[in-house]
Amino acid sequence: MPEWEPKIVAFLCNWCSYGAADLAGVSRMQYPPNIRVIRIPCTGRMSPKFILAALRKGADGVWVSG
Amino acid sequence: MVGYIDKIKEISERLLKDGKVDMVIGFRKGTMPMMNEPHRVKSADDVKNLVWDSNCGINLANYLTDRKEKIGIVAKGCDSRNIVTHIIENKIDRDQLYIIGVPCKGMIDSHKITNAVSGEIVDVVESNGEVTVKGDGFEETFNKADVLQKNCAVCIHRNPVIYDELVTDLVEEQADVDRYEDVREIEAMSTEEKHNFFDDLLAPCIRCYACRNACPLCYCPTCFVDESRPQWVGKGDDPVDIKTFHFLRAYHCAGRCTDCGSCERACPVGINMRLLTKKLEMDCLNLYGWEAGLTLDNRPPLDTYKPDDPEEFIK
Amino acid sequence: MEFMGIERDRLHLSWISSAEATKFVEVVNNVTEAVRALGPNTHFIKNEAKVA
């Protein structure tokens, strides 16, 4: 059995962290592949529903970033 | 407390006769003992059906959502706070309302009494702080203080916060109650214990949504549990679905809940879901110094931004 | 969330400007480490009916 790797759902704001993620990619920076990015139009779009839904579907962690 | 009803009737009759309101929302005797039901009085002749005793725990603010007519409403402390919340959330206009304030000394928890006697209760009489229940072959007297709803026992806002007329003098507020003892007990548990605690607490839930329907805050045209695209919550009695429902409902009440106890009162299986809403209520008080429904002048903390808002959880 | 029996470190909030790629990488590392330390999420997972 392969070693367990955490699955983290990342909700990133289009204008902030998503941009930062893009910049990180363009700059060829290294970061762990454990996050699954979901782009949201704004952190204001975030709802507690999303977090619970992510956990229900088996995410090990949730990260919200504005 | 029992004597209030004459005054309520007198005010209601006057309002209806003068055409000041189109209807008065109050209570009438329910078909079962200890279950008074909400009643809309639309004519002065109907006023005689109104009642008031310690079984009027239902939150009448629930019946104001999006009404267009002029309404007289009988309001206890918690009802009045929910009316304030309704006005803040633009669910009703202050000018539409004539609030008949009723200082309240707590409502009876029918679960407690039903569990304490064996057999069906057919009659309940209340006098001088005592409650006497009668049924087939038994008669028992309880001290009202012992059978209060749990939220009433720790209530610190018994008097209506807004009203146009009071039925009696304001009552003394309880000062030395510890509102959040049970919440702190849970907070002291480990993650695993908490998880198991809520598993046990919510296990009997049959997802009847009585708590949601009784709650004056739950007025969304389509509740998230009924949404199917995407479906946030399954329809069955899966424990995770049950928890999702209760947790999310509590979140939706954050900064709005007045701890009126309607949800717990409505629950057919006696789940104390107030533990969830109370935790959020406590956090609002500690983080923002906010108690819901006390004033029309301030916006709630969750829809305002202040530079000194707590933010230690943001990295 | 913590109150309901979900570990505090499973949920993270942060504030990153679109120019802060370095901070982004840093936070991704921190979040991953924190969740890795907790191990797999066992609570609150809805088991979907298995369809063959």
Side-chain angles (χ1 to χ4, degrees), chain A residues 28-55:
Chain A
R28 305 288 183 266
M29 290 179 175
Q30 293 275 331
Y31 59 87
N34 302 73
I35 60 165
R36 310 289 189 272
V37 177
I38 296 178
R39 179 172 65 154
I40 49 176
C42 166
T43 323
R45 178 66 183 90
M46 205 49 212
S47 152
K49 284 175 197 171
F50 300 169
I51 299 174
L52 290 188
L55 293 171

Side-chain angles (χ1 to χ4, degrees), chain B residues 186 191-192 194-195 198 240-241 243-244 247 251 275 279 313-315, chain C residues 1-8 12-15 23 43-46:
Chain B
I186 301 174
T191 302
E192 200 58 33
K194 284 176 190 164
H195 181 255
F198 283 109
V240 173
D241 286 333
K243 281 206 228 165
T244 309
F247 291 175
Y251 272 127
L275 284 173
K279 157 72 177 160
F313 53 88
I314 299 178
K315 282 189 271 246
Chain C
M1 296 290 282
E2 200 188 358
F3 185 70
M4 299 160 179
I6 291 170
E7 295 92 335
R8 191 183 176 92
H12 294 257
L13 268 161
S14 63
W15 209 270
K23 182 174 175 191
H43 304 328
F44 216 76
I45 294 181
K46 164 94 188 255

Side-chain angles (χ1 to χ4, degrees), chain B residues 52-253:
Chain B
W52 188 268
D53 54 27
S54 297
N55 302 303
C56 298
I58 294 171
N59 195 325
L60 293 179
N62 202 10
Y63 302 93
L64 292 179
T65 321
D66 291 332
R67 303 295 309 189
K68 299 283 176 263
E69 59 270 71
K70 285 201 163 249
I71 298 174
I73 182 161
V74 181
K76 310 181 282 293
C78 46
D79 297 21
S80 75
R81 290 174 65 197
N82 276 108
I83 294 172
V84 169
T85 309
H86 266 350
I87 298 172
I88 289 182
E89 294 174 0
N90 291 326
K91 285 286 131 189
I92 189 102
D93 207 39
R94 177 71 182 91
D95 302 335
Q96 278 172 270
L97 296 174
Y98 192 93
I99 301 167
I100 306 168
V102 184
C104 168
K105 285 193 175 165
M107 292 292 156
I108 296 174
D109 185 342
S110 61
H111 291 302
K112 276 190 193 162
I113 294 190
T114 324
N115 291 338
V117 299
S118 50
E120 193 184 337
I121 297 164
V122 289
D123 192 27
V124 177
V125 188
E126 209 191 318
S127 65
N128 295 330
E130 287 192 337
V131 185
T132 308
V133 295
K134 285 182 206 154
D136 189 19
F138 66 89
E139 179 175 332
E140 263 192 77
T141 304
F142 298 91
N143 193 338
K144 187 179 154 189
D146 298 333
V147 291
L148 279 183
Q149 279 185 196
K150 281 183 229 149
N151 64 310
C152 296
V154 294
C155 175
I156 50 168
H157 296 287
R158 292 171 146 189
N159 293 311
V161 291
I162 50 167
Y163 50 81
D164 295 294
E165 194 164 343
L166 277 179
V167 299
T168 180
D169 297 334
L170 296 175
V171 295
E172 202 182 320
E173 297 286 3
Q174 307 190 98
D176 52 347
V177 286
D178 182 4
R179 284 183 55 70
Y180 302 114
E181 192 189 353
D182 39 2
V183 177
R184 282 199 302 271
E185 266 169 39
I186 301 174
E187 280 181 334
M189 294 179 189
S190 71
T191 302
E192 200 58 33
E193 283 171 337
K194 284 176 190 164
H195 181 255
N196 295 337
F197 176 84
F198 283 109
D199 257 359
D200 293 345
L201 180 80
L202 301 175
C205 178
I206 53 173
R207 296 276 292 283
C208 63
Y209 301 141
C211 45
R212 176 193 72 182
N213 293 350
C215 179
L217 302 174
C218 282
Y219 54 66
C220 293
T222 308
C223 177
F224 70 93
V225 296
D226 299 324
E227 285 176 347
S228 53
R229 274 188 210 171
Q231 191 181 38
W232 304 106
V233 193
K235 303 282 181 195
D237 59 354
D238 183 284
V240 173
D241 286 333
I242 291 176
K243 281 206 228 165
T244 309
F245 164 59
H246 282 284
F247 291 175
L248 268 181
R249 199 188 82 82
Y251 272 127
H252 288 175
C253 301

